[in-house]
Amino acid sequence: MELSTIKTQLKTEILGRNLVCFKETNSTNSVAKNLAATGAPEGLVVVAEVQTEGRGRAGHKWDSPAGGLWFSVLLRPTFPPGSTPAISLLAGVAVAKALRDRSLNATVKWPNDVMASGKKLCGILCEASIQGDKVEYVVVGMGMDVNNDASKLALEAGAIQPTSVRDLLGKEVDMPQLLAHVLLEMEKLYQRASRGGFAPMIEEWAALSDTIGKAVEITDDSGKVTGTARRITPEGALVVDTGKEEKVVTAGDLRYV
Ligand code: BTN
């Protein structure tokens, strides 16, 4: 993935205008966090052809062979810290929109997976640095199986079955073009949220949702919540009807049951 090819495809004002490309690195999220700590500007994008220590949510490993799109976007939002989960939903909406423009019936699964045909196409890992009541930065890491063979991915126990864009479309897609498209969708959503809040994005997320109405089990540090996923709050939390009460779940691993 040549740096020059990505640059020529960019249609954004901010996202990706500062671009760091690796043939191989440990984790684009780790690189972006290090650069954020030394003052890198909002919009920095770090992308790698291969990650040797790709990280997933909840301490999972993220297999990142050649052919996938592994990248991280640095944001310096002025939103309060409570809105960082919404940023991760926003990234999922951006990815789903770009994939839908490529004839894939992409949906979003709470909290931050993008799915198609019941399998996972993309995972999102947001890592934020909060100082007091201010967000210093958020690194939004996205891992999308694009031109790689998903059946060859190393999977941890209990992981959702992955698929790739190539597996679904039966042909390879232009990765720099797809990356540029995701960044454009993300920038539009982010700028709209910065001006007027997250409400329209949350509506779009709900319309693309794979989760609302389903029987779910969510596991977090404090245990499990089981019930029917009813709706999403303006902050991006999931409301689950347990049969006895409605519980608002802000984070956790979700499984359809
Ligand atoms: C998940 O579904 O568990 C989240 C996976 C996030 C993977 C991406 S790949 C680019 C970025 N760098 C990382 O180390 N992780 C994220």
Side-chain angles (χ1 to χ4, degrees), residues 26-30 46 51 53-58 60-62 64 69-72 112-113 120 122-125 127 140-144:
N26 54 359
S27 152
T28 57
N29 262 35
S30 302
V46 181
Q51 294 184 121
E53 291 166 44
R55 293 185 284 112
R57 290 186 6 256
H60 296 297
K61 289 185 183 150
W62 185 262
S64 317
L69 208 41
W70 324 122
F71 66 102
S72 303
N112 46 16
D113 294 330
K120 179 162 166 173
C122 172
I124 296 162
L125 174 66
E127 297 185 282
V140 187
M142 286 171 262
M144 207 189 310

